[in-house]
Amino acid sequence: MTSALEARIDHREAVLARIRMVLIESLGVRRTPDEIDPDTALFGSGLGLDSIDAVELVVQLDTDFNVQLPNDVFGRAEMRTVNGLVDLVLAAQAAEIADATAR
Amino acid sequence: MPPLADPAIAIRESVVVTRLDHVHLLRFRGDDARTAIDTLCAGMVRARDGQLQHVLLLDEAAHCFADAYLVADDEEYDLLVEGPTADALRAHLARHLSSGSDVQIEDRTMTHALLGLDGPYAWELVSRVAGAEAIGLPYLTFFHADDWTCYRAGKTGEFGYGLIVPRDARDALETLLLEKGEPLGVARGTLDALDQCALENFFFNVRREGREPVTPIELQLQWRVSYDKDAVGLEALRRHRATPVATRLTSLIADRTVTVGAEVHLDGEVVGRVVNAGWSATRGDCVALALLDVRWAHPGIETFTVWHGASAVPARSLTPPLLNNRSLFVSPQLHAYATRAEIAMPPLARQ
Amino acid sequence: MSMDCAPRDIVITGLGAVCALGEDCDVLWSAIAEGRSGISTIRRFPTDAFAVHTGAVVASAACEAPSSRTLTGQLCHDFAVQAAREALADAGLADSGMAAMRSSTRLALVFGTGLTDLARPLHSLVEAVADAIGIDGARLTVSTACSSSTGAMGFGRDLLAMDTADVVVAGGADVLTPEVFAGFHALGVLSRTRCAPFSTPSGTTLGEGAGFVVLERTTHARARGARVRAIFSGYGLSADAWHETSPDPKGAGIERAFRSALADADADAATVGYVNAHGSGTEANDSAEWLGISRALGPRAAEVPVSSTKGALGHAQGAAGVLEAIVTIAAMERDLVPPTMNFEAPRPHGPPDPVPGPMPRHWSYTRAVSVNSAFGGANAAVVLSRDGSVRQARARRPVTVRGLGLLGGFGQGTEAFLSAPNGVQCGNGRVPAFSIETLVRGADPRGLDPTARYLTAAAALALRDAGVVVRGALRDRIGLLVGQRRASPTSLSAFADSISARGLSQLSATAFARIVLNAAAGACSKLLSLRGPLSVITSGPGSGLVAVALAAELLATRDDVALMIAGGVDERSADDDVEPSDESRADGAACLLLGAEDGEPNAEPSAVSGPSVYLAGWGLAAAGQLPEALARAAPNGLPHGARVFRADDPTTGAAGAVFALAAAVLALRDGSARAALVTSDCGRSLAAALLLTN
């Protein structure tokens, strides 16, 4: 297994851990981190968050991770699971690095 | 019979009507009905009157026994159960419910039938038959109409509804639905088509990956489980949890067909095996679920290979759900099938 | 018309309004008649950080910047005083020249508002308004967000029926503040352009203002030669028991409030000629509301014009109900129906006749219903008529105390309460930790602040004490009336913290939903399936006792309610240091389960052992006029040997007086008293007296 792959996975797991803490601390999800499976749905079933929680999540993604997501249907389509949130953060981080390198 | 479309397409574009004959319908009554339900379900029972809850039943080894919807109707509870045979279900109830308790269980599987409606415009078909109340029906709630019940739930990622009807009224209702659904592009659904949609949207399938000798932890079903209560299988699950779990269910994509049981390799080593697979007409590739070593059970890994017979099929892991379901962008309060072209949507397949 | 008017025949003799369309009723009506809108670009505070820039503000205050909670209170006060003065003048009861009449007339003020998180308690703002307009009678404050002033008119009618006053000024006021704007914006319910009820685009536009109607008995109005603007035929309340901010999508709550109002008015749905809908314009409200209204109207529904004035007035929040009623009355007088402004293409699933604007339309009718709903699922409807037959006097049903639910520093339940020291008994101390799941099966504690948990716990304990299980049809016939001083300090802090940490444009929508004063009552009604009448009284210390009296009045006079949970709740700040020194330190909740005795077919015999306890009488009066309240509670004098329980300590909060009531109930249950009088007179709002007998 390449060390590059392992490093990527380690980084992903670190972001996953932070996202779990946001869900627990800011959205009041009453689970321990390891009980929140990565592909668990956020809304409807899964964690059972609702439309007000969605608003809060969009704000948290912005303030904690610098992810700007439109707070509409299109934005919501990007954040359906815990892993979906991790993907958004990783993409934003990659974009930031690309921007910084380009300058 | 009107010409019907391919259900695999119709489920993602309009609506399908499917006979769900494999589901057992049980009704629980009595002062201890709730307690009995609580003993059977691995998670906290939170459904209030008028609500459904997607629940999981485990066996004593903490393996999946049944996938069910709990319907809370005043003081009575329905369980719509998928997975075990009728005999196995009966034996499970007899083994785990105390005989002294005040609970009567009526098996309604013979007297009632279940029809499923799934698709981005399923709500529109339901409202043509059940009235405007269906328009605003929230997810995981239900209402009664005449002698049948309409609930909103599904496992495809589209709008989904179930109609519980007296068995002798099923055929007439099905005919009516197909008739009223013609202008809505209705198709007759099949269990295979529904299963494929569940696979694409990461809905647990008790008849496929649910047959594996693993627990909800490996299957990413902890949201349906509570460690703070007592129920069948939870003792074993708590023990299992005490040591780090070795595998996790992961979504894979391949450009060619792969099959259940196939080994998954990464960098020359075996890292898991496929437990569910199917060709996606919507995406144009093969979707699979594999139980992989937790170290590699992450989306975004491009270099898996799946052994199909003698050939190695390249595969990559992806974050499910694998589609931008059209239902996300359709609002029953605002839209209609007739004007569907006007709704703005992103591409259907997610990369 | 017969002179034998039942005491509940009530008329409206004066109207007063301040809103975006104008600062008196004439200007308001001209604007409606000419098809003008009060929605414009907000200049009062910066909206650059938001995607929405429109609102319906009162013109003379367009540039006032209520950047502090004190200024918000001042604006609310000024709007209210202006509108109330106009209403009194319109009724021929203005200060000048009426001194003699005013001195012999008991005037009361019932004030509805959604304002929360002001610099001073709500009840003192209302008391200041009453002082400014010369009302020294009873002052009642109703706080159910966007249906507050609708409910205020209803309770105003009840105060007349209870002989607490001769004339009631009822209505409310609210202000468009940056915080409320940011909160609605965060929830995604504001229209990017202008509120277009039942049309597109969906979304609401916030407004503000104040409105009051003058209510009095027909006999009283006639005796002084007052001009009748309309008949207040009846009102109804209900709870969605559904969600913090979204309405029940089936519209069942609106339907219940509508039907209850018609039943209260002894009116058939077929006599309703026009409906003024809540019509906020949001995607969630409009279709759900039409579902409920159409079911309540019955077969003729498609023929009845149903319009919303929010396209012109904006969503005036706590003042919406009364302002919309005023427009309805003015229109009905002129054989017109008000239009729905900004109406272009109809949104699917709306009323077939929404009276598309901009102009009112000719329509002759003699009865209208005005409906409002609110966050937390508090619905209210009023029936307004132009002529009416004399209504039959209604037999009053006896009211019993079926159960007690007590939660405080002593723990839970009646035994813990009885063995607690005196101070702890009336609400001082801190509630020990407890799990709501042990009291309400399957309850999800996520999303419940302490106020909501305390109230739900006390309500659940009262039901358990009575042996009542809320199931089936009972859900629609059991309501909740709560006395509170303020929203949960935990939620108020979370809200304020989110603003200081992240700015207004990113405030916590979750916390915003919880700072509406009726959020706890809404959460409680949802967890316990209480779908009957719902309201929240915020009239200062002793509000809980006032809530019990009003709940008893509902039970005694309506046959669509079988049970009412009534009481009070207080939450102490986690950090005593941040609490102003004059705020109460009370922590806990006390609820009674009251039942009506009418041979209700589903009634279960009370599970409580011992003699039944009757709530034999209740009376409300002006603060400092306890003998008046007593005279109404015990018109035949106090029974011999009645024990007196006084609850006059303002530090015991909203629930304190209800703990005293509980002690009285327990004394009757154990036989140590055969009758008891419970009184509260410790603020500047109301005095209350309740009589219990076996």
Side-chain angles (χ1 to χ4, degrees), chain A residues 27-30 48-53 55-56 59-60 62-63 71, chain C residues 186-187 243-246 437 444-446 502 506-510 513:
Chain A
L27 277 108
V29 170
R30 289 159 59 99
L49 303 182
D50 68 11
S51 52
I52 308 187
D53 296 314
V55 175
E56 186 64 19
V59 171
Q60 293 286 346
D62 191 350
T63 55
N71 187 10
Chain C
L187 291 170
H243 185 265
E244 292 81 5
T245 56
S246 307
E437 287 132 311
D444 188 353
R446 190 178 82 92
R502 309 185 324 205
Q506 299 198 315
L507 57 65
S508 165
T510 327

Side-chain angles (χ1 to χ4, degrees), chain C residues 321-420:
Chain C
V322 62
L323 285 170
E324 290 160 17
I326 286 171
V327 170
T328 301
I329 291 169
M332 188 162 61
E333 281 175 335
R334 294 165 170 83
D335 282 328
L336 291 167
V337 281
T340 301
M341 300 287 288
N342 312 319
F343 190 96
E344 292 171 31
R347 213 183 298 167
H349 319 299
D353 183 6
V355 194
M359 312 299 286
R361 186 172 81 211
H362 272 287
W363 193 256
S364 191
Y365 55 107
T366 55
R367 178 159 291 149
V369 177
S370 182
V371 185
N372 290 96
S373 54
F375 283 179
N379 306 299
V382 293
V383 181
L384 304 161
S385 310
R386 211 154 48 154
D387 59 44
S389 48
V390 174
R391 197 193 345 207
Q392 300 291 0
R394 205 168 278 175
R396 293 174 69 88
R397 309 186 300 176
V399 175
T400 55
V401 179
R402 304 274 301 268
L404 289 176
L406 306 171
L407 179 83
F410 49 84
Q412 300 175 7
T414 54
E415 286 182 29
F417 171 73
L418 284 172
S419 37

Side-chain angles (χ1 to χ4, degrees), chain C residues 27-438:
Chain C
V27 178
L28 164 58
W29 179 255
S30 306
I32 299 271
E34 290 161 23
R36 278 185 270 128
S37 166
I39 297 176
S40 60
T41 307
I42 292 177
R43 292 190 321 277
R44 178 180 290 167
F45 47 84
T47 58
D48 319 49
F50 301 98
V52 174
H53 312 287
T54 45
V57 297
V58 172
S60 65
C63 300
E64 301 277 324
S67 52
S68 82
R69 294 137 83 216
T70 315
L71 283 172
T72 300
Q74 190 59 54
L75 263 185
C76 182
H77 175 277
D78 293 347
F79 290 165
V81 167
Q82 188 173 333
R85 281 199 178 128
E86 184 197 355
L88 283 166
D90 188 40
L93 289 167
D95 272 338
S96 54
M98 301 303 302
M101 155 131 345
R102 287 277 289 261
S103 65
S104 65
T105 305
R106 295 165 304 159
L107 283 129
L109 176 65
V110 184
F111 193 114
T113 180
L115 279 178
T116 179
D117 191 26
L118 293 174
R120 62 176 169 172
L122 260 183
H123 66 90
S124 78
L125 182 153
V126 172
E127 287 152 13
V129 169
D131 290 341
I133 58 180
I135 291 186
D136 53 13
R139 294 93 176 258
L140 184 63
T141 312
V142 180
S143 244
T144 59
C146 310
S147 58
S148 296
S149 53
T150 321
M153 289 186 285
F155 287 139
R157 193 284 306 276
D158 285 348
L159 288 187
L160 290 169
M162 292 161 68
D163 197 28
T164 298
D166 302 307
V167 172
V168 177
V169 176
D174 226 314
V175 179
L176 179 49
T177 66
E179 290 78 18
V180 167
F181 181 85
F184 273 72
H185 187 274
L187 291 170
V189 297
L190 291 181
S191 167
R192 301 256 164 141
T193 52
R194 297 163 172 256
C195 176
F198 308 121
S199 182
T200 52
S202 58
T204 195
T205 303
L206 287 172
E208 64 179 11
F212 287 95
V213 301
V214 175
L215 296 162
E216 55 192 297
R217 279 175 229 98
T218 313
T219 43
H220 189 272
R222 233 186 259 133
R224 66 180 187 90
R227 162 186 161 226
V228 170
R229 302 296 301 261
I231 300 171
F232 188 91
S233 306
Y235 81 100
L237 303 173
S238 77
D240 275 4
W242 184 255
H243 185 265
E244 292 81 5
T245 56
S246 307
D248 173 356
K250 304 184 299 298
I254 292 252
E255 183 190 351
R256 279 192 295 281
F258 198 110
R259 286 187 193 274
S260 188
L262 287 176
D264 187 44
D266 279 340
D268 199 275
T271 63
V272 176
Y274 162 66
V275 176
N276 185 293
H278 181 64
S280 63
T282 67
E283 197 176 312
N285 176 80
D286 290 4
S287 55
E289 185 181 7
W290 169 242
L291 270 181
I293 290 177
S294 61
R295 284 196 304 265
L297 283 174
R300 285 181 54 249
E303 301 158 26
V304 178
V306 176
S307 70
S308 163
T309 30
K310 289 187 167 70
L313 282 172
H315 185 343
Q317 310 170 65
V322 62
L323 285 170
E324 290 160 17
I326 286 171
V327 170
T328 301
I329 291 169
M332 188 162 61
E333 281 175 335
R334 294 165 170 83
D335 282 328
L336 291 167
V337 281
T340 301
M341 300 287 288
N342 312 319
F343 190 96
E344 292 171 31
R347 213 183 298 167
H349 319 299
D353 183 6
V355 194
M359 312 299 286
R361 186 172 81 211
H362 272 287
W363 193 256
S364 191
Y365 55 107
T366 55
R367 178 159 291 149
V369 177
S370 182
V371 185
N372 290 96
S373 54
F375 283 179
N379 306 299
V382 293
V383 181
L384 304 161
S385 310
R386 211 154 48 154
D387 59 44
S389 48
V390 174
R391 197 193 345 207
Q392 300 291 0
R394 205 168 278 175
R396 293 174 69 88
R397 309 186 300 176
V399 175
T400 55
V401 179
R402 304 274 301 268
L404 289 176
L406 306 171
L407 179 83
F410 49 84
Q412 300 175 7
T414 54
E415 286 182 29
F417 171 73
L418 284 172
S419 37
N422 228 337
V424 177
Q425 255 197 2
C426 49
N428 290 313
R430 282 193 186 276
V431 173
F434 71 97
S435 157
I436 192 66
E437 287 132 311
T438 58

Side-chain angles (χ1 to χ4, degrees), chain A residues 1-2 6 8-10 12-13 31-32 34-35 37-39 44-46 73-74 77-78 80-81 83-84 87, chain B residues 201-202 220-223 225 227 241 266-267 295-296 298-300 319-321 323 325 328-329 344 346 350:
Chain A
M1 316 304 181
T2 69
E6 295 194 10
R8 256 201 307 130
I9 290 177
D10 285 343
R12 186 177 184 101
E13 285 184 335
R31 290 282 191 177
T32 61
D34 61 296
E35 286 176 43
D37 296 316
D39 288 311
S45 34
V73 186
F74 279 69
E78 297 298 317
R80 298 169 72 181
T81 65
N83 256 341
D87 287 343
Chain B
N201 269 85
F202 207 75
Q220 300 211 49
L221 290 175
Q222 289 186 96
W223 65 273
V225 155
Y227 297 106
R241 185 191 186 203
L266 182 64
D267 274 359
R295 186 72 178 110
W296 313 112
H298 292 285
T319 304
L323 297 176
N325 303 89
L328 292 172
F329 307 95
R350 288 180 67 83

